[in-house]
Amino acid sequence: MSKKLVIATRNAGKIVEFRRILDAISEGAIELIGIEQFPELVDVEEIGSTFEENALLKARYTASMTGLPAISDDSGLCIDALGGAPGIYSARWAGKHGNDKENLAKVLDQLKEVGDENRGAHFICVAALVMPDGREKVAEGRFEGTILHRAIGDQGFGYDPIFLPRGMSISSAQLSAEEKDAVSHRGKSLRAIAPHVIEMLGGLR
């Protein structure tokens, strides 16, 4: 069984986290391949109504096109005061996909009249593993916290600068890579799916 695994995302921040977390879990035994090595692949339209549906859409397409095992995720920020929004629309909340600065600005503006006691939020990440033979596994991770009144910190990506993790006094964008991996939604989902990755790729030896 091939030990190759395609990371089905073009998000640079996600790619860094995927490689860091999966390399540590697999002890470097799995060759992680970026989709930039497959120029024929197109961006998958995220038409699902849930994080799981969107994660599976991307992983299924990548596995079918490359003939290799593929792992993807869909993740987002769910804010209590906004009824769970931006949710699956997190990456394009301000209109243009992946514009972190405008997404942050829109959320902060929407919450400008909301007091600290009502700024609860959580990140969700659903990781999906799809094998070329059709086998699939999914795993979910959550990261609880609140929304700050301004962006703080320059680590991480996405909404990290405005997210205060529960029980911490610094934003997610002020955490080191190791600290973030230990508590984040993506770290939790990838650690949960890792045993299935290892098993379905035939072990680490």
Side-chain angles (χ1 to χ4, degrees):
M1 177 67 71
S2 171
K3 295 296 194 298
K4 295 181 178 180
L5 180 64
V6 182
I7 303 174
T9 182
R10 298 186 194 278
N11 183 306
K14 286 187 179 184
I15 291 170
V16 169
E17 290 193 353
F18 266 90
R19 289 190 183 280
R20 188 172 65 230
I21 296 168
L22 290 174
D23 273 341
I25 292 169
S26 70
E27 302 173 356
I30 296 172
E31 181 184 353
L32 300 171
I33 303 171
I35 59 173
E36 72 278 358
Q37 295 189 30
F38 304 94
E40 70 276 13
L41 298 185
V42 299
D43 291 335
V44 177
E45 187 177 358
E46 297 179 1
I47 58 174
S49 60
T50 66
F51 292 108
E52 179 174 329
E53 289 176 3
N54 284 329
L56 283 168
L57 280 172
K58 292 179 279 189
R60 285 169 180 162
Y61 169 75
T62 303
S64 68
M65 292 294 292
T66 64
L68 293 170
I71 191 166
S72 182
D73 85 310
D74 196 43
S75 56
L77 178 64
C78 303
I79 301 172
D80 297 346
L82 299 181
I88 61 172
Y89 305 106
S90 293
R92 52 190 185 277
W93 191 233
K96 183 179 179 181
H97 194 283
N99 191 323
D100 290 351
K101 186 176 180 180
E102 290 189 9
N103 288 336
L104 293 182
K106 181 173 180 177
V107 165
L108 290 177
D109 183 65
Q110 289 177 304
L111 297 179
K112 63 185 178 182
E113 304 297 332
V114 178
D116 290 345
E117 69 279 5
N118 294 314
R119 298 176 75 91
H122 61 274
F123 281 110
I124 292 179
C125 176
V126 174
L129 170 68
V130 174
M131 302 295 288
D133 62 11
R135 287 176 293 160
E136 300 177 344
K137 290 290 182 181
V138 296
E140 179 179 302
R142 291 194 176 215
F143 191 18
E144 302 284 347
T146 57
I147 303 300
L148 296 165
H149 291 270
R150 63 184 180 89
I152 304 174
D154 57 7
Q155 302 300 309
F157 63 99
Y159 294 94
D160 284 339
I162 63 170
F163 188 77
L164 178 66
R166 180 178 292 172
M168 296 187 179
S169 58
I170 58 176
S171 78
S172 184
Q174 293 174 291
L175 297 175
S176 69
E178 294 75 17
E179 290 171 329
K180 184 182 178 186
D181 290 347
V183 297
S184 76
H185 50 308
R186 188 162 294 107
K188 291 174 182 175
S189 66
L190 291 180
R191 283 192 295 276
I193 207 169
H196 302 294
V197 173
I198 293 168
E199 176 188 358
M200 292 165 76
L201 267 65
L204 297 181
R205 298 287 179 251

